[in-house]
Amino acid sequence: MCGIIGFLGNGEAVPVLLDGLRRLEYRGYDSAGIAVLNQEGIVRRRAAGKIANLEAMLTSNGVAGKAGVGHTRWATHGAPTRRNAHPHMTGRVAVVHNGIIENYRTLRDDMRAGGRRFESETDTEVVAHLFDALLEAEGTPAAAMTALMERLEGMFALAILIEGDDVVLAGARRGAPLAVGWGEGGLFLASDAIALAGHTRKVSYLEEDDLALVRRDGVEILGTGGHPVKRPVVDTELSGAVIGKGNYRHFMEKEIHEQPVAVGETLGRYLDPDAGSITIPGASLGPGAVERMTLIACGTAYYAALIGKYWLERLARLPADADIASEFRYRQAPMVEGGLGVFISQSGETADTLAAMRYARGLGRTVLAVTNTETSTVAREADLVLATHAGPEIGVAATKTFTSQVAVLFCLAVATARDRGTIDHHEVARLAGVLTTLPSTLARVIAMEEEFRQIAWDVAEARHVLYLGRGTSAIVAMEGALKLKEISYIHAEAHAAGEMKHGPIALIDEHVPVIVVAPGDELFDKTMSNVEEARARGGRIILITDEAGAADAGPVADRMVVLPAVDSLVTPLVHAIPVQMIAYHAAMRKGTDVDQPRNLAKSVTVE
Ligand code: G6P
């Protein structure tokens, strides 16, 4: 969601804060602001819209100071205006915040009654006033922060700039991540280590309800009850270069192209090509240990979960459910004894996924996390972490982390099947061989980009697009429709092809491209029957298939792309690439903001 950063150092704060905000912009870009501390006190600059607007403002109206806080916003409370932009200030403090203060109305009403005046519609401004009042009452930032935490409800991370104390920055974490950065030239608070790439690799992640007090001579971390605690300093291995765009126009384009490496790196942790084995270290997956799996996630990760469900059922004959995190918890879904919860989250910080995971833990179930962020809350709270090794993903629309999640779930399904005895070691070795060649197949598909671009230019003219598929290809179709909506703003729907005749077929006319994901597998003929139905009603058919499918398809499609043939089990990994590239190039054609599509944010840390 929002991105926050704080800096206290030897050099000027503004360039450091801006650099950090640019790296955090994937978390939200409705407005941006900074506040710095200098001889005049706390000075603030804010702008609606992207960080570029704030930068332009600072170029003409700069501020000096060696300490400060910065924020990039994804609006929750109050419109994305300058008035609602963070930091929010009053008295001796300026506050930046990520998350939601759930009891802000009560707190604001109380403080209004006490004579305080509020300028914005945000929940954050309440924190500024409350902390300012507590600072007066308690005398020290440590005591005021402890008292603040007792009064605030919700999930949040805070960075507060304080005037007139040796504690210049205070940070707090409850439910939303906050890291302390230990640099040569200064000390930092930040939503994630990516913000600090290029400044420091040494980072400590705060735990739930930790406070951080940043003085010139170091950072003191206080745990629950205000007692000093030590949090390990880890080397993040992120460099400024790793998260640049390189020669690509967009992060999304770069990340699509990185998929052979991302999937290869990820598979490398679970696959031993020489031994022909696939293992999930630390997991007991056999009968007795696991009777059912429930895979839970949001957004694109939910589609990975659905593919995982299909594989677990088919390969391991294990009952499996895939569920949307925000629904799972609130309908109080039961989880049977022996039920394993698998929580899938690129960021490991998605509020709904985390809450659903805590719900499963509350039921006493074992929980497993599939995440790209091993330092995330989801990873820390899971019984076992299955990491994806996709590297940082900055484009808001998930691409390489999706295929990496799907690759891990395939390994999980194969390992479960082996432990349940539904496949033997010969089949495991065969599937290990299939996975070994997968990264090079992905590279071959990526090399077909020009074909996908041509389709995308056609699709970009449409107002509505229908995606169809069967089996795991229906899920790839759903991911394709989601990608198209997210970044090109074209209305797209995806349906299991067999369901089309029960409603969606009414949408079809000559203006609606119908993109069909149909590898030449055992479902191909059934899908083609549905394609004929669509074609008979004037639908323009775009067929994404493989060599076997192309041989069988006949003249049904207006356009067809033919992907390399792979084992029918792993087609979702291969067919994901064209649907990503179609969305990317449709967005390019329409001129939308590919990496930062409107209204979206990459890491959604509010419910
Ligand atoms: C946001 C992103 C999506 C992502 C979803 C879940 O909506 O824009 O790309 O799929 O969150 O994120 P997670 O980090 O939990 O995988």
Side-chain angles (χ1 to χ4, degrees):
M1 255 353 21
C2 304
I4 65 179
I5 182 161
F7 171 70
L8 170 62
N10 306 326
E12 283 301 317
V14 168
V16 177
L17 296 175
L18 279 178
D19 188 47
L21 289 182
R22 273 185 232 110
R23 295 173 193 281
L24 289 170
E25 201 170 17
Y26 72 91
R27 290 174 157 263
Y29 29 83
D30 286 333
S31 66
I34 56 144
V36 296
L37 183 64
N38 59 29
Q39 296 85 336
E40 292 167 34
I42 297 178
V43 190
R44 171 173 72 172
R45 297 283 184 274
R46 300 178 295 170
K50 295 199 168 178
I51 287 158
N53 298 354
L54 176 68
E55 281 184 85
M57 175 186 283
L58 284 162
T59 310
S60 57
N61 187 13
V63 280
K66 296 187 173 166
V69 289
H71 187 266
T72 180
R73 179 168 186 242
W74 188 83
T76 59
H77 294 60
T81 58
R82 180 161 174 269
R83 196 161 54 89
N84 287 328
H86 303 210
H88 290 283
M89 297 173 55
T90 188
R92 291 166 54 202
V93 305
V95 175
V96 290
H97 160 221
N98 168 28
I100 290 179
I101 309 297
E102 288 172 357
N103 58 337
Y104 84 101
R105 277 202 192 85
T106 323
L107 293 170
R108 192 180 55 193
D109 292 348
D110 289 352
M111 287 189 285
R112 269 195 183 134
R116 286 193 173 255
R117 289 187 48 225
F118 291 82
E119 293 173 353
S120 76
E121 304 153 85
T122 64
D123 50 343
T124 309
E125 196 180 1
V126 167
V127 180
H129 280 276
L130 183 56
F131 185 67
D132 185 56
L134 290 168
L135 204 51
E136 284 300 310
E138 304 284 339
T140 66
M145 285 298 283
T146 306
L148 181 74
M149 294 299 272
E150 281 168 16
R151 301 284 299 278
L152 298 182
E153 290 169 16
M155 292 170 75
F156 51 83
L158 296 168
I160 307 181
L161 182 65
I162 304 167
E163 185 187 343
D165 199 283
D166 66 333
V167 175
V168 180
L169 292 171
R173 178 214 152 104
R174 179 179 292 160
L178 192 67
V180 172
W182 313 85
E184 300 274 298
L187 299 163
F188 300 83
L189 296 174
S191 293
D192 62 34
I194 289 177
L196 308 180
H199 298 289
T200 182
R201 294 178 176 199
K202 302 242 167 294
V203 164
S204 301
Y205 293 93
L206 295 192
E207 304 268 333
E208 278 303 90
D209 275 21
D210 277 359
L211 302 175
L213 304 171
V214 186
R215 300 179 175 88
R216 287 236 155 250
D217 59 359
V219 184
E220 185 184 9
I221 301 177
L222 305 178
T224 322
H227 304 295
V229 285
K230 289 235 175 297
R231 300 297 175 216
V233 180
V234 293
D235 195 325
T236 66
E237 293 175 7
L238 287 170
S239 73
V242 169
I243 55 168
K245 276 187 237 173
N247 293 327
Y248 294 95
R249 286 160 297 184
H250 296 102
F251 280 111
M252 184 182 180
E253 184 188 24
K254 172 172 173 264
E255 288 155 5
I256 288 173
H257 282 256
E258 283 172 348
Q259 287 178 104
V261 175
V263 169
E265 286 283 324
T266 300
L267 285 173
R269 314 298 163 122
Y270 306 98
L271 165 74
D272 182 340
D274 297 330
S277 65
I278 293 170
T279 43
I280 301 293
S284 324
L285 300 164
V290 179
E291 300 299 341
R292 184 174 202 104
M293 275 195 213
T294 305
L295 299 96
I296 294 168
C298 301
T300 288
Y302 168 63
Y303 293 136
L306 274 170
I307 293 172
K309 164 191 161 73
Y310 276 51
W311 281 333
L312 284 159
E313 288 175 345
R314 180 165 168 181
L315 278 173
R317 314 302 305 147
L318 180 75
D321 312 298
D323 224 312
I324 296 164
S326 57
E327 289 295 316
F328 179 73
R329 178 167 68 124
Y330 288 115
R331 67 166 203 275
Q332 299 182 3
M335 289 180 78
V336 294
E337 194 86 24
L340 176 72
V342 181
F343 293 82
I344 306 160
S345 174
Q346 178 280 127
S347 62
E349 301 292 350
T350 300
D352 286 318
T353 307
L354 181 59
M357 187 170 118
R358 288 175 177 162
Y359 168 82
R361 287 203 72 128
L363 295 177
R365 299 295 161 256
T366 303
V367 302
L368 201 151
V370 177
T371 181
N372 202 41
T373 317
E374 286 179 86
T375 49
S376 64
T377 314
V378 163
R380 283 208 301 268
E381 294 191 12
D383 295 302
L384 184 67
V385 177
L386 307 190
T388 53
H389 292 271
E393 188 178 69
I394 308 297
V396 164
T399 52
K400 63 176 179 173
T401 57
F402 171 68
T403 41
S404 299
Q405 287 163 353
V406 170
V408 169
L409 292 172
F410 187 76
C411 294
L412 178 66
V414 172
T416 308
R418 183 204 50 220
D419 289 1
R420 291 173 65 79
T422 53
I423 59 175
D424 62 16
H425 71 275
H426 295 296
E427 179 64 357
V428 174
R430 189 186 73 79
L431 292 172
V434 167
L435 291 184
T436 307
T437 58
L438 195 60
S440 65
T441 309
L442 298 186
R444 280 164 59 208
V445 177
I446 287 168
M448 296 170 67
E449 181 160 12
E450 178 52 25
E451 289 187 55
F452 310 139
R453 189 188 62 75
Q454 286 176 21
I455 291 172
W457 282 34
D458 188 9
V459 166
E461 307 299 320
R463 292 192 59 205
H464 308 282
V465 172
L466 202 57
Y467 257 105
L468 298 176
R470 279 178 183 256
T472 50
S473 298
I475 318 302
V476 174
M478 288 174 198
E479 172 60 4
L482 178 65
K483 284 279 137 326
L484 204 55
K485 279 184 283 213
E486 278 181 309
I487 61 166
S488 71
Y489 314 146
I490 297 169
H491 170 236
E493 285 190 19
H495 294 276
E499 270 295 291
M500 191 184 58
K501 54 190 174 292
H502 299 295
I505 200 165
L507 295 172
I508 291 176
D509 64 22
E510 64 278 15
H511 303 297
V512 179
V514 181
I515 307 179
V516 185
V517 184
D521 58 16
E522 70 280 10
L523 297 171
F524 184 77
D525 291 342
K526 295 275 178 223
T527 307
M528 282 306 113
S529 303
N530 306 126
V531 170
E532 292 288 4
E533 292 154 14
R535 191 172 141 82
R537 284 151 182 93
R540 271 189 294 138
I541 309 297
I542 298 165
L543 180 62
I544 301 173
T545 186
D546 54 20
E547 286 141 11
D552 272 6
V556 68
D558 295 84
R559 280 181 178 274
M560 177 162 78
V561 286
V562 184
L563 306 181
V566 285
D567 186 277
S568 65
L569 277 169
V570 298
T571 54
L573 284 146
V574 175
H575 287 239
I577 288 173
V579 305
Q580 294 167 348
M581 281 192 167
I582 289 170
Y584 174 74
H585 285 288
M588 285 289 289
R589 179 72 167 162
K590 292 191 73 180
T592 55
D593 191 336
V594 169
D595 282 334
Q596 296 174 343
R598 70 184 179 204
N599 303 340
L600 297 177
K602 182 142 194 82
S603 174
V604 182
T605 52
V606 294
E607 283 193 44

